Amino acid sequence: MGATAVTATPKSEPAATDADIVLRGVTKRFGDLTAVDALDLSIPRGSFFALLGPSGCGKTTTLRMIGGFEDPTEGTVLLGGQDVTDLPPFKRDVNTVFQSYALFPHLDVQRNVAFGLERRKLSKHAVRERVAQVLELTQLTGMEKRKPNQLSGGQQQRVALARALVNRPRALLLDEPLGALDLRLRRQLQIELKRIQTDVGLTFVHVTHDQEEAMTLADEIAVMSEGRIEQRGSATDLYETPRTQFVANFLGLSNLIDARLTGRDPRYATYETHDGATVRAPSELARDGAVRLGVRPEKLEILTEQPEGMNVLRGRVEVAAFLGVSLQYVVRTPGGEELTVIEQNRAGANGGTVGPGRDVLLAWRPEHPFVVDKETEHAG
Amino acid sequence: MGLRRRRRLTPYLLLVPGLAWLVVFYLLPSLNQLYVSLQEGNFETGYTFQWAWSTYSDAISTYDEQFLRSLRYAATATVLAFVISFPLAYFVAFKAGRFRNLLLLLIIVPFFTSYLMRTVAWQTILSDNAFVADRLRDVGLLDEDGRLLATTTAVIAGITYNFLPFMALPLYVALEKIDRRLIEAATDLYASRWQAFRRVTLPLALPGIFAGTLLTFIPAVGDFVNAQILGTSRQYMIGNVIQSKFLVVTDYPAAAALSFLLMAALLLCVFVYARVLGARNLQEAAL
């Protein structure tokens, strides 16, 4: 059955044949609450894939359905082409790194890491060898005899990772694996996690609410909201051309301006903003109807003279802040929007900020804006 | 300076009430009984101190049967209580959901009635022409002239019933403390449900098993109420002997000597048991 599924996949979708983990129409309801809503997802083999979203968006439930801890209300879960929807966790070739680590408190590091291999009846010799290997990979050599309560948070996290990795599963499922650590350690372990994933070449599915973490680690990110995938793509795609207002606001800061399409040529489409200014955006993004034009704060420049070939809005500086590495402004346009501008601190001590109250021009290049449909604001 | 000294002394000051209690109500009476156990004489002529160690050897040779019976009954009742309590505690801890507190209350409810009254109630339940015995005869589990009351079965059943909460509650506490995600982690690491239970749940429940078995076994060995009410002299335990020596025969030295022998036997049992279960591992597992 797995074989027919693969051959039946049309050639035009090479990603699907390469996919290690496939969810088809997966829905999970808890009583009246729909946690995951008719989700289709395919995760390519060997990729570092992130499920990113705010708490309650269904990302952890999705991961738990791949791991076998939750049964989907509807839909199918496939691992390597095999339907595993009805298989319990211990019959699935994936391992999980739990948010709380869930290390066995009565076993030392060695026995914790060896747990999976022992259940699979490997020889004592093979177990010892593979545990030693993975402890070296995760820089835990010498900790074999420690109990979990004798380890720091970062070390516990590494043991959890080693305990899953040592089984060489088809895929590793990571549920906010760095969520319990402080910022500094988190950044350090992010780099390490990426290194390990590159070394072992396993598929990693990483659940996180930290957009920076997802962007640092993942080859591909799926942004989730209310049980659905809003948009999926590389960090660059999601940041530069978000397709929904939710994605534009969840990943980084966005300035969104209400606008209406008025014309298009092969390169650029022209929009009229709600306060009457005319701006251009790439033609391939053109959308009819009520839209919002978005531009990232660092793409905006504050000028005092009219530039050539750029989108321009007038405004007055409301707030100017010196942040060391950058200067941050809030500029109010005549239409009432407050736009954020972030400028690199290139001028140094001679520059300083443009003071509040000044009338300025906000300019940005016409290839920079993105277009999203106007939505009524999400509550919260 | 004064503050530092106060801080150093505080832990010891906190011990004072407990220590005082133990000295007055445990250590002093024990020493007194040790003294009594080495006396000779009788109730009419009075007792005098003689270093009479022979009381101890006589007690062992005369009542070895009751000693061994006590250990046997208590061990059987402890095992039975464990077999009944573990599934019960497991269910309450993991599956009962919102009924958890109600079920816990039901386990404790019998304590609202006196121990003696409950045992007398069992006398009625097990009596010869009552419902239980009749039904057992109907299905052939009991002979036509067979009895339930005044048998070994009745005494062991009584002990099991009376000490069940002492087993169930520590087991519940230990099981309830186990993080459910550990069991998920075990199944994630290729352990079947049975293996997850065997490798994770059971080792983590060990402190509760240890506490529960001791809390059941120790008072059960010294119990005399069940044998007296539900048994006959053929079921008498060492507790019955001590009770009768103190209150009926008024042979105080023999009673005191038997009490000390019982205490020594229990200490030995607990020591061996702790060694076998590995008390050190237990403490580490409990952390």
Side-chain angles (χ1 to χ4, degrees):
Chain A
M1 189 178 158
T4 50
V6 172
T7 46
T9 310
K11 267 243 178 292
S12 57
E13 286 177 32
T17 49
D18 259 12
D20 229 5
I21 301 171
V22 178
L23 304 189
R24 285 196 193 133
V26 167
T27 297
K28 177 70 187 179
R29 289 190 205 96
F30 297 103
D32 291 341
L33 182 88
T34 305
V36 175
D37 191 1
L39 193 77
D40 287 306
L41 179 67
S42 65
I43 298 171
R45 178 162 309 179
S47 67
F48 201 128
F49 192 91
L51 284 171
L52 174 66
S55 61
C57 73
K59 57 191 193 301
T60 294
T61 307
T62 304
L63 196 78
R64 287 174 61 81
M65 287 193 286
I66 299 172
F69 304 112
E70 305 283 358
D71 296 327
T73 316
E74 284 161 34
T76 333
V77 180
L78 296 110
L79 293 177
Q82 190 206 351
D83 185 344
V84 298
T85 316
D86 297 322
L87 292 186
F90 62 91
K91 289 191 178 154
R92 296 191 188 197
D93 191 15
V94 292
N95 288 118
T96 307
V97 177
F98 292 88
Q99 183 171 15
S100 55
Y101 315 138
L103 300 178
F104 303 122
H106 58 301
L107 301 178
D108 61 20
V109 170
Q110 169 85 25
R111 297 291 311 280
N112 259 287
V113 176
F115 195 93
L117 298 177
E118 284 172 1
R119 300 290 82 69
R120 292 173 133 189
K121 307 270 186 284
L122 261 74
S123 75
K124 275 214 165 88
H125 179 73
V127 170
R128 208 171 309 133
E129 202 164 289
R130 274 171 71 170
V131 170
Q133 260 174 27
V134 81
L135 289 183
E136 196 185 324
L137 181 73
T138 48
Q139 300 175 7
L140 285 165
T141 311
M143 304 277 177
E144 288 85 350
K145 292 291 154 231
R146 300 247 189 118
K147 287 282 179 69
N149 61 18
Q150 296 169 304
L151 300 173
S152 70
Q155 287 167 339
Q156 288 181 23
Q157 203 283 328
R158 273 182 247 232
V159 175
L161 188 64
R163 189 175 70 172
L165 271 176
V166 75
N167 305 295
R168 298 178 192 157
R170 169 176 297 278
L172 213 63
L173 311 176
L174 303 108
D175 184 7
E176 303 259 8
L178 309 176
L181 304 172
D182 63 58
L183 189 69
R184 198 193 182 120
L185 199 55
R186 197 151 72 213
R187 297 279 173 260
Q188 186 193 327
L189 282 168
Q190 279 172 8
I191 295 164
E192 215 170 301
L193 207 56
K194 184 73 186 169
R195 173 182 66 79
I196 288 169
Q197 195 265 339
T198 316
D199 279 3
V200 298
L202 283 175
T203 312
F204 275 36
V205 186
H206 184 112
V207 158
T208 182
H209 64 267
D210 179 343
Q211 42 125 345
E212 206 174 317
E213 185 169 302
M215 290 169 88
T216 311
L217 292 172
D219 306 318
E220 210 177 350
I221 301 168
V223 180
M224 286 188 73
S225 165
E226 294 176 349
R228 296 168 169 278
I229 291 178
E230 287 271 325
Q231 188 176 349
R232 163 183 179 164
S234 68
T236 316
D237 287 346
L238 293 174
Y239 188 77
E240 301 298 349
T241 46
R243 286 202 304 263
T244 67
Q245 206 172 300
F246 178 84
V247 176
N249 284 324
F250 194 74
L251 262 87
L253 288 170
S254 287
N255 294 308
L256 296 172
I257 306 151
D258 289 346
R260 195 167 49 79
L261 185 68
T262 51
R264 65 193 286 191
D265 63 35
R267 259 191 101 187
Y268 294 116
T270 319
Y271 296 83
E272 191 183 307
T273 67
H274 74 118
D275 55 346
T278 300
V279 291
R280 290 179 299 162
S283 187
E284 69 267 21
L285 301 175
R287 282 190 215 188
D288 275 324
V291 297
R292 283 182 157 178
L293 218 60
V295 62
R296 299 290 186 180
E298 73 283 1
K299 305 286 196 307
L300 291 174
E301 276 181 77
I302 290 188
L303 300 173
T304 41
E305 283 169 40
Q306 185 79 27
E308 272 305 303
M310 294 181 75
N311 290 329
V312 177
L313 286 181
R314 297 185 171 281
R316 174 171 288 171
V317 176
E318 293 275 318
V319 178
F322 178 78
L323 302 178
V325 67
S326 62
L327 310 172
Q328 190 169 335
Y329 300 97
V330 176
V331 178
R332 183 187 284 276
T333 64
E337 280 119 346
E338 291 193 334
L339 304 185
T340 303
V341 182
I342 294 173
E343 197 177 282
Q344 285 280 310
N345 177 12
R346 288 229 188 74
N350 300 329
T353 60
V354 180
R358 290 263 306 266
D359 286 323
V360 291
L361 297 174
L362 286 177
W364 70 96
R365 309 223 320 240
E367 61 266 33
H368 281 155
F370 52 84
V371 184
V372 297
D373 286 326
K374 185 177 176 180
E375 300 164 26
T376 40
E377 293 295 330
H378 288 272
Chain B
M1 194 63 188
L3 184 70
R4 260 172 66 185
R5 237 182 92 183
R6 262 213 320 270
R7 279 211 182 125
R8 247 199 348 258
L9 285 176
T10 306
Y12 300 101
L13 287 172
L14 291 174
L15 277 176
V16 167
L19 277 178
W21 180 275
L22 281 176
V23 167
V24 173
F25 292 105
Y26 182 76
L27 187 63
L28 293 181
S30 294
L31 289 173
N32 172 260
Q33 286 305 299
L34 187 64
Y35 180 73
V36 169
S37 75
L38 296 171
Q39 290 173 344
E40 257 179 18
N42 60 52
F43 189 67
E44 279 78 37
T45 59
Y47 299 98
T48 49
F49 187 77
Q50 302 279 347
W51 291 108
W53 291 107
S54 60
T55 315
Y56 281 82
S57 46
D58 289 350
I60 293 176
S61 54
T62 318
Y63 299 109
D64 58 336
E65 195 191 328
Q66 282 82 357
F67 257 114
L68 291 175
R69 186 183 291 140
S70 297
L71 294 174
R72 210 169 57 235
Y73 282 11
T76 312
T78 304
V79 170
L80 283 174
F82 176 76
V83 170
I84 297 167
S85 297
F86 198 90
L88 175 71
Y90 189 91
F91 179 84
V92 177
F94 289 141
K95 312 277 180 200
R98 62 204 169 90
F99 296 110
R100 179 188 284 188
N101 286 338
L102 178 69
L103 287 168
L104 281 177
L105 186 71
L106 288 177
I107 294 175
I108 303 166
V109 147
F111 284 126
F112 287 89
T113 315
S114 109
Y115 178 35
L116 207 59
M117 291 306 296
R118 281 181 281 137
T119 313
V120 170
W122 271 90
Q123 198 176 33
T124 316
I125 294 169
L126 298 177
S127 65
D128 292 339
N129 294 308
F131 181 81
V132 180
D134 283 346
R135 294 295 83 75
L136 286 176
R137 283 192 198 99
D138 287 350
V139 298
L141 281 172
L142 201 64
D143 294 337
E144 273 313 307
D145 55 349
R147 300 191 69 189
L148 272 181
L149 197 63
T151 61
T152 303
T153 312
V155 177
I156 291 176
I159 296 173
T160 307
Y161 160 77
N162 275 311
F163 293 104
L164 198 74
F166 295 107
M167 180 68 90
L169 292 177
L171 285 178
Y172 164 77
V173 170
L175 287 169
E176 197 267 339
K177 236 174 44 177
I178 296 175
D179 186 347
R180 302 290 291 276
R181 283 167 298 195
L182 295 177
I183 296 157
E184 273 190 358
T187 60
D188 184 66
L189 294 163
Y190 314 110
S192 63
R193 290 182 63 118
W194 163 249
Q195 284 173 327
F197 174 79
R198 168 79 191 73
R199 300 284 167 186
V200 179
T201 312
L202 201 59
L204 291 174
L206 269 185
I209 297 172
F210 188 71
T213 43
L214 288 185
L215 283 175
T216 310
F217 182 75
I218 293 172
V221 172
D223 183 74
F224 65 93
V225 172
N226 288 283
Q228 184 155 331
I229 297 178
L230 304 174
T232 66
S233 61
R234 275 177 296 131
Q235 279 81 37
Y236 272 9
M237 298 165 70
I238 199 64
N240 300 91
V241 178
I242 295 173
Q243 190 244 3
S244 113
K245 287 278 177 204
F246 261 120
L247 301 178
V248 184
V249 190
T250 62
D251 183 354
Y252 297 139
L258 282 166
S259 301
F260 277 104
L261 286 168
L262 176 62
M263 202 192 291
L266 279 172
L267 281 173
L268 189 71
C269 287
V270 171
F271 180 73
V272 171
Y273 181 57
R275 286 303 287 263
V276 170
L277 260 189
R280 190 180 294 174
N281 286 337
L282 286 172
Q283 279 170 6
E284 283 172 19
L287 289 176

